[in-house]
Amino acid sequence: MMDFAQLAKHLAAAAARVRPALEADLLVIGEAQKKIAQEMIGTEAPGWAPLAESTLTDKAAKGFPIPDPLLRTGEMRDSLRVEVEPTSFGAEMVLGSDDPVAKYQELGTATIPPRPFLATSAVEVMPMAKKKFGETAVTILTPGA
């Protein structure tokens, strides 16, 4: 059993491991979210509007797979990137793309209904994130770990 001095020492050491562990966890979670988002591209997700007939005709004429929403060349799918940045309170993870088509597909436009593959992947990765952060917290706070 620990006394208060030993507990204080342990917690101080644990605090020093939080940021690196958080950054590592965020990278793992971000890569998992990226994989989910990439797998959504080219599949019909619940709640998404079906592709317009004009879109299907255009895709077929250009030799792209149909219906395969969001997928033509794979350029948008391959543009997804995960970044983990330190912040004043710990760290943050961002999954996104510099391809403007990703924004139009995610949020929709006047003529394109939204097909939120990034937001949906964020929701789908949450159970994994909860488990990962919980495991890391236990590891950091367990003496001798």
Side-chain angles (χ1 to χ4, degrees):
M1 184 144 122
M2 284 188 187
D3 63 26
F4 285 117
Q6 290 168 322
L7 177 61
K9 184 178 177 182
H10 172 71
L11 291 177
R17 298 192 328 242
V18 170
R19 185 182 301 251
L22 176 61
E23 290 175 4
D25 284 357
L26 285 171
L27 186 57
V28 169
I29 293 161
E31 289 297 332
Q33 182 187 350
K34 176 182 164 184
K35 183 176 186 230
I36 293 167
Q38 287 176 320
E39 289 171 354
M40 292 182 74
I41 295 171
T43 62
E44 297 182 67
W48 287 3
L51 294 178
E53 193 59 43
S54 59
T55 301
L56 294 171
T57 301
D58 181 65
K59 287 181 78 169
K62 293 177 179 171
F64 295 122
I66 52 175
D68 295 13
L70 310 182
L71 180 63
R72 287 190 183 234
T73 66
E75 188 174 324
M76 181 183 72
R77 177 196 59 222
D78 297 343
S79 73
L80 296 180
R81 299 285 179 265
V82 175
E83 295 179 7
V84 175
E85 298 288 331
T87 65
S88 59
F89 59 86
E92 67 182 11
M93 182 275 294
V94 176
L95 171 63
S97 169
D98 58 4
D99 184 342
V101 173
K103 178 180 176 183
Y104 306 145
Q105 295 293 1
E106 179 76 14
L107 302 176
T109 68
T111 58
I112 300 171
R115 293 185 176 90
F117 62 102
L118 294 171
T120 303
S121 65
V123 171
E124 288 188 20
V125 82
M126 283 299 160
M128 181 256 201
K130 181 179 175 182
K131 182 176 187 229
K132 184 77 174 142
F133 289 140
E135 290 169 351
T136 297
V138 168
T139 298
I140 287 173
L141 293 173
T142 301

